[in-house]
Amino acid sequence: MSYTNPILELEKQKRLLQLEYEAEREAFRQQTEAQGIGRKIKRGEAWYPLQTGKAYYNSLNQYCIEVHQQKEDETEHNFEYGKPVCFFTLADGKPSYLPFTAIVSYVDGDRMVIALNNESHAAELLGKENLGVQLSFDETSYRTMTAALNRVIRGKGTRLTYLRDLFYTDMPAQRYRFDTPVRLPWLNPTQEKAVNEVLLAKDVAIVHGPPGTGKTTTLVEAVFECLRKENQVLICAQSNMAVDWISEKLVDRGVPVLRIGNPTRVNDKMLSFTYERQFESHPDYEQLWAMRKAMRELRANRKRGDRSFHQKMDRLRSRATEIEMRINQQLFGDARVIACTLVGSANRILEGQKFGTLFIDEAAQALEAACWIPIQKASRVVFAGDHCQLPPTVKSNEALKGGLGVTLMERIAKQKPEVVTLLKVQYRMNHEIMKFSSDWFYGGKVESAPEVSHRSVLDFDIPMLWIDTADMACHEEFVGESYGRINKTEAKLTLAALQLYFDKTGKERILSERIDVGIISPYRAQVQYLRQLVRKEPYFKPYRHLISVNTVDGFQGQERDIVLISLVRANDEGQIGFLRDLRRMNVAITRARMKLIILGDAPTMTRHPFYKKLYEYIDNL
């Protein structure tokens, strides 16, 4: 058996994570010093001006303040539950930062609830003029990931140690032996096989789901079948959105889910299964609230020399703890699925909890260190994702070269191909759109389901089109240090191409059939510019509710009837920057159900073999 020393590998992971931490902290420092607030607002990293609302204790006994963004802004912001923020005031265009950080507790539209460390911070904020809030550097995630790696490294003779050694060597993964596979006739054969492989796995299983192959459907069935044998499972994902998505699908199947952390897609259905909402709906909650209120009043009215203070406080505290434990016990006892982000699995309310099976969705987008946080709580792990789509975000080039971008799922898939099931039938795209992706990324193994194979908007339409912008006076411009590139002429041509296609299709049909459109660009500056153009152009007014404009990352997991991609790059040197990461392009082209239109400078792009092959493939359709 070939043997990689797991401890040395994990120590290396720690060093790479430290490099990433330092690179991100330095980038944040430079941005804070160099970027104007206007730029931060445009990037969705700041709200200004702010109006403060009420301040109060929430159900988890955190002191919170409500803030509202006063300016109507269509920029998609990056605030979400659990992210750290800091406040500033603005005078003569220069921000002055308040000396404390806080945590986002809840966001909905232009309203945000922020948990403060103590009440005195609220006094500094209430009624303050020229107040703003921006994302702060996230120390907590790095601390949590490093602590997880340390525990895995130190482990001896535990289930965690066994999984550590298994994942880093070619030691064979163990399987159960069942005589008859579970029959699930509503799934296709590879989906059914994937569910059975999950049930047979004693240690690890991987569900590899290319675009449109029903990975979430398969995962929901696998969870459902596991719950026939186990009382409770843990489901994690890198992003809140991915956790919400699978949680919602399970709730639709009647599975009781307890969602730790707040959902990004805020609606009553999602909120009803969050820990906080269920906690405050519990019959004993009013009693707990009364205890906490009594403790606060006792503290506020404490008189010098009051000898009974500590006695009274201890009595109240121990009663409050007892009620809290009772509520928690019932909430966890009633739930069949506990759902949270990978970092969220370190939440204190999950302390000491153990699970037979851990499902990690979108595992190919998660740093290895983040995966080890929930693995500590589980006996076996099911990874689901696609390492041919978006990788984890790594900002340090040195860490990337060292291998920080290689995920745990990818490592295991390479080392133990026998634990991987590839889903082979896709239900999203016209066959021609899928075929290129299938041939290049999946060895031609992915096929289209018959019902989608020939889907199109127009009769006798060619499903893929590349508009070569080389002779159209398009050129890329550089916008700011980290803001990226823009190609204004290409952006205008993108909307002209969409307008032409809409004219061919007809307004009545587009609106009645709700034919939706995704406009994608890898560069954020181009996305912002395209959004402006869509807003300003009167032609698109009736269709705006059907058009989404976003980066490739913003479209992960989504699909549209028509997709237009603006590649932006146009230069004499053939430089294409991070478009060399072909996984991004795989995501972009596979968002389209029926029509894909790519706009790009062919002489620039086709110097790269992938884009040359794609250009030729489309040209030959």
Side-chain angles (χ1 to χ4, degrees), residues 458 461 498-506 509 539 595:
L458 301 170
D461 197 6
L498 179 59
Q499 186 170 336
L500 187 66
Y501 200 72
F502 272 7
D503 287 341
K504 280 184 188 173
T505 310
R509 192 173 155 222
Y539 176 89
K595 181 74 174 181

Side-chain angles (χ1 to χ4, degrees), residues 529-540:
Y529 186 64
L530 281 160
R531 280 181 185 156
Q532 278 174 34
L533 292 180
V534 172
R535 273 203 301 274
K536 286 177 188 167
E537 175 53 62
Y539 176 89
F540 290 110

Side-chain angles (χ1 to χ4, degrees), residues 277-516:
R277 185 61 66 89
Q278 291 191 25
F279 192 89
E280 61 191 20
S281 311
H282 193 277
D284 292 347
Y285 176 68
E286 273 184 43
Q287 207 182 342
L288 176 63
W289 182 258
M291 296 285 164
R292 286 171 174 174
K293 191 178 175 197
M295 285 160 75
R296 287 196 289 273
E297 284 169 359
L298 187 65
R299 208 176 281 121
N301 302 323
R302 184 183 180 184
K303 292 182 174 66
R304 193 185 288 271
D306 180 359
R307 290 181 183 175
S308 63
F309 171 80
H310 289 295
Q311 225 174 350
K312 287 177 190 166
M313 194 56 114
D314 285 348
R315 238 191 344 261
L316 286 167
R317 195 179 284 121
S318 100
R319 183 84 183 99
T321 306
E322 187 189 313
I323 296 168
E324 198 173 332
M325 282 169 71
R326 190 164 69 235
I327 295 174
N328 269 343
Q329 224 168 354
Q330 193 169 342
L331 294 187
F332 278 95
D334 291 347
R336 302 295 309 278
V337 168
I338 308 297
C340 58
T341 61
L342 294 162
V343 173
S345 67
N347 194 308
R348 65 173 184 84
I349 56 180
L350 282 173
E351 239 168 66
Q353 298 277 351
K354 292 284 180 197
F355 301 89
T357 306
L358 159 67
F359 289 86
I360 301 180
D361 195 12
E362 301 294 8
Q365 277 184 272
L367 289 177
E368 176 168 338
C371 291
W372 284 111
I373 304 168
I375 291 173
Q376 299 169 79
K377 300 178 183 298
S379 283
R380 64 176 186 148
V381 191
V382 178
F383 295 92
D386 180 11
H387 42 277
C388 303
Q389 290 187 66
L390 288 182
T393 305
V394 177
K395 294 195 172 130
S396 158
N397 283 331
E398 203 181 333
L400 198 59
K401 281 179 193 151
L404 191 66
V406 179
T407 62
L408 191 54
M409 173 178 155
E410 206 176 334
R411 180 195 297 282
I412 297 166
K414 199 176 280 184
Q415 232 167 31
K416 302 183 194 332
E418 69 280 4
V419 306
V420 181
T421 309
L422 176 71
L423 303 179
K424 292 179 182 173
V425 183
Q426 69 84 21
Y427 298 88
R428 176 185 300 163
M429 289 155 269
N430 177 294
H431 172 68
E432 306 289 0
I433 299 173
M434 184 64 226
K435 190 176 183 322
F436 182 82
S437 170
S438 175
D439 289 350
W440 186 280
F441 293 99
Y442 308 103
K445 289 177 183 165
V446 180
E447 293 165 5
S448 303
E451 59 267 34
V452 302
S453 193
H454 301 292
R455 63 180 356 183
S456 63
V457 178
L458 301 170
D459 292 340
F460 310 111
D461 197 6
I462 297 167
M464 296 171 89
L465 173 67
W466 184 312
I467 298 173
D468 181 7
T469 58
D471 301 324
M472 301 181 191
C474 290
H475 61 278
E476 62 179 82
E477 298 170 53
F478 196 60
V479 191
E481 186 70 25
S482 57
Y483 201 51
R485 289 162 199 273
I486 194 167
N487 189 326
K488 291 184 176 180
T489 310
E490 187 176 283
K492 288 169 186 161
L493 287 167
T494 303
L495 292 195
L498 179 59
Q499 186 170 336
L500 187 66
Y501 200 72
F502 272 7
D503 287 341
K504 280 184 188 173
T505 310
K507 181 177 179 178
E508 200 179 312
R509 192 173 155 222
I510 292 162
L511 295 175
S512 65
E513 293 181 23
R514 299 184 63 80
I515 295 171
D516 53 4

